[in-house]
Amino acid sequence: MNLKFLAGAAASFAVAISASSAALAQDKTLYVGMNGGPYEKTFTEAVFPDFEKANGVKIVVVPGTSTDILAKATASKDNPQMHLIFLDDGVMMRAISSGLCEKLQPSPELNEIAASARIKGDMAAGIDMGMTGIGYNKKIFDENGWPAPTSWLDLADPKFKDKLVFQSAATSTYGLHALLMVNRIEGGSEGNVEPGFTKIKQDIAPNVLEFIPSSAKLSEMVQTGEAAIFPLTPTAIGNLKDKGLPVEYVQPKEGSVLLMIAQCVTAKNSEPELSQKLAAYLMSAAAQAKALNAGNIIPSNPSTKASNPVAQSKLDAFNGYMKTVITLDWDAINAKRPEWNNRWNKTIER
C-alpha cells in the first residue's frame, strides 16, 4: 500500500511540475517587428498560432515599415524590446552591420531554404521572396485605351502626369528600387547615381501626383482613381486584388529588383533560445505553406507546397519573374544611402 501511495504521489508531483512548467512557458511573450496590415494579419492568423500552441508562448507583432522597425531596434539595442525583426533585405544589411542581429543557429530548416536567402553568413534569412516591378490600375488604363506598361521608363510618359504615385526613395525600398533601375537604364550603377537622379528630376517627378512615405496609402489612391501607375511587388498587388481593387503587376522588360523580406533574431534579447526556435519554424516548409496559401507570401523554402491552384499560380508566376530579376549591391548602396536620402529630399521631393 505504501509503495502504491508513493508511486501515486510521485506521479501527481510529476504532473504538477509539468503543469507548472507549461504555465511558466505560457507567461512568455515574443515580440516580432514586421509590416502591419495584410502582412501582420497573415502571420498572426495563419502562421504564428501553431508555434504559440506548441510552445506555450504568445507572439505580439510590433507593426511598422522596415525603416520604422530598424529605428525602434536601434533605439533599444542595449535592451532589445523585440525578439525577431522582419526587414526588407537592404535595410536588413544595415541592421546586421549595426550589430542588431544574432547569428541564426544551425537547423534543418536553415539548410532547406534557398542559398540566395541566406544573408551575410546566416546573420539573417529571407522569409518572403519577391521583386519590385510596376503595378497599374487596370480600370484607368482600360478607360483610356492605354496598353499595359512594359518599361521602367514608362513612368516618364507624359500621359501619366498627375497619375503616377511614387514611394519616397528616402523611406521606401520600392521607391529606392525604382530610382536605381531608372539609373541603370540611363547608364548608371550603384556607384554612380547621377543618371538616375537626373532622369527622375527631369522626366519622372513632373508626372508624380504624390510622393508617399510607404505603400499604406496606395489602396485608397487606387480606389479613388488617383493612382494609375506605381512601383510595387507581385505580393502587394495580390493583396490589393484580394480587396477587390482593379490592379495588375507587370515585369518590366529591363527586369525587376529582387526584394526579400528577411528575419533576424535580435542580439541580446531576453529569450534567445525561444527566438531561435521561432526563426527556425518560420523557415520551415510547413510555416511557409501557411503564409503562401493565406497571404500571397512567396516562400524561400523550395520544399513548400501550394495547397490550391491559386497559390500554385503565384509560385509559377514568381519563378517566371525570377528569370529577369536584378540583384543590387547593398554594401555600396548602404554606404551612400544617407547622402542619397538627403539629396532626394532636397531635390526631388521639394
Side-chain angles (χ1 to χ4, degrees):
M1 291 292 292
N2 287 340
L3 288 175
K4 288 182 179 180
F5 173 79
L6 290 173
S12 298
F13 181 72
V15 170
I17 290 295
S18 176
S20 176
S21 298
L24 285 173
Q26 287 168 356
D27 287 337
K28 292 182 178 178
T29 301
L30 293 182
Y31 293 90
V32 178
M34 62 163 53
N35 285 330
Y39 209 84
E40 176 184 356
K41 185 175 186 288
T42 295
F43 278 86
T44 55
E45 293 184 1
V47 182
F48 291 151
D50 281 356
F51 184 88
E52 291 175 313
K53 183 177 179 181
N55 295 277
V57 64
K58 175 67 176 174
I59 299 174
V60 175
V61 169
V62 180
T65 66
S66 289
T67 304
D68 294 335
I69 298 300
L70 177 63
K72 290 174 182 176
T74 301
S76 61
K77 179 179 179 180
D78 295 329
N79 183 27
Q81 303 301 302
M82 294 175 287
H83 298 87
L84 259 71
I85 52 177
F86 280 41
L87 304 172
D88 292 348
D89 47 10
V91 181
M92 181 62 79
M93 298 290 275
R94 290 158 60 190
I96 293 169
S97 66
S98 299
L100 296 175
C101 298
E102 171 184 293
K103 186 173 182 176
L104 293 168
Q105 292 177 357
S107 68
E109 295 85 359
L110 180 58
N111 290 335
E112 287 177 1
I113 66 172
S116 59
R118 298 176 72 161
I119 300 172
K120 285 286 183 180
D122 296 334
M123 293 301 294
I127 293 298
D128 178 8
M129 306 293 283
M131 59 281 296
T132 304
I134 297 174
Y136 69 100
N137 186 326
K138 192 172 185 302
K139 183 174 183 290
I140 292 177
F141 271 67
D142 288 348
E143 288 173 350
N144 287 276
W146 295 337
T150 60
S151 167
W152 286 103
L153 295 185
D154 286 340
L155 302 180
D157 191 321
K159 71 171 175 272
F160 296 131
K161 183 171 178 59
D162 294 332
K163 289 294 184 183
L164 168 62
V165 175
F166 207 105
Q167 299 90 338
S168 171
T171 59
S172 168
T173 300
Y174 298 150
L176 178 64
H177 281 177
L179 164 63
L180 292 175
M181 282 305 297
V182 169
N183 182 61
R184 283 191 174 209
I185 294 166
E186 293 295 301
S189 67
E190 280 83 90
N192 171 26
V193 294
E194 287 300 322
F197 269 97
T198 298
K199 183 67 174 178
I200 295 281
K201 183 176 181 178
Q202 290 181 353
D203 299 327
I204 295 178
N207 283 348
V208 175
L209 171 66
E210 184 177 348
F211 288 101
I212 56 177
S214 72
S215 296
K217 191 178 179 181
L218 195 54
S219 175
E220 176 188 338
M221 298 182 79
V222 169
Q223 195 164 22
T224 58
E226 295 173 278
I229 188 169
F230 32 81
L232 213 58
T233 64
T235 296
I237 289 292
N239 290 333
L240 292 177
K241 292 180 81 168
D242 286 347
K243 295 179 179 179
L245 297 178
V247 293
E248 297 294 341
Y249 173 81
V250 166
Q251 180 81 348
K253 64 184 181 182
E254 303 90 354
S256 57
V257 186
L258 181 66
L259 172 60
M260 283 189 291
I261 295 180
Q263 66 166 353
C264 87
V265 173
T266 55
K268 299 183 287 187
N269 79 63
S270 61
E271 297 289 344
E273 184 176 343
L274 197 54
S275 299
Q276 289 280 353
K277 193 173 182 179
L278 175 58
Y281 167 72
L282 294 174
M283 291 184 284
S284 71
Q288 293 197 9
K290 296 177 190 299
L292 167 65
N293 297 318
N296 302 309
I297 293 172
I298 302 300
S300 60
N301 188 324
S303 300
T304 303
K305 304 296 183 186
S307 67
N308 57 68
V310 173
Q312 185 61 52
S313 70
K314 294 171 187 173
L315 277 180
D316 293 342
F318 168 77
N319 291 330
Y321 300 148
M322 281 296 290
K323 294 176 182 177
T324 57
V325 80
I326 304 296
T327 302
L328 299 175
D329 182 351
W330 281 108
D331 288 332
I333 292 168
N334 286 328
K336 291 288 189 178
R337 187 76 185 271
E339 178 185 321
W340 296 353
N341 291 350
N342 186 52
R343 180 176 179 180
W344 180 273
N345 291 330
K346 287 184 176 179
T347 65
I348 305 297
E349 289 190 52
R350 293 175 286 122

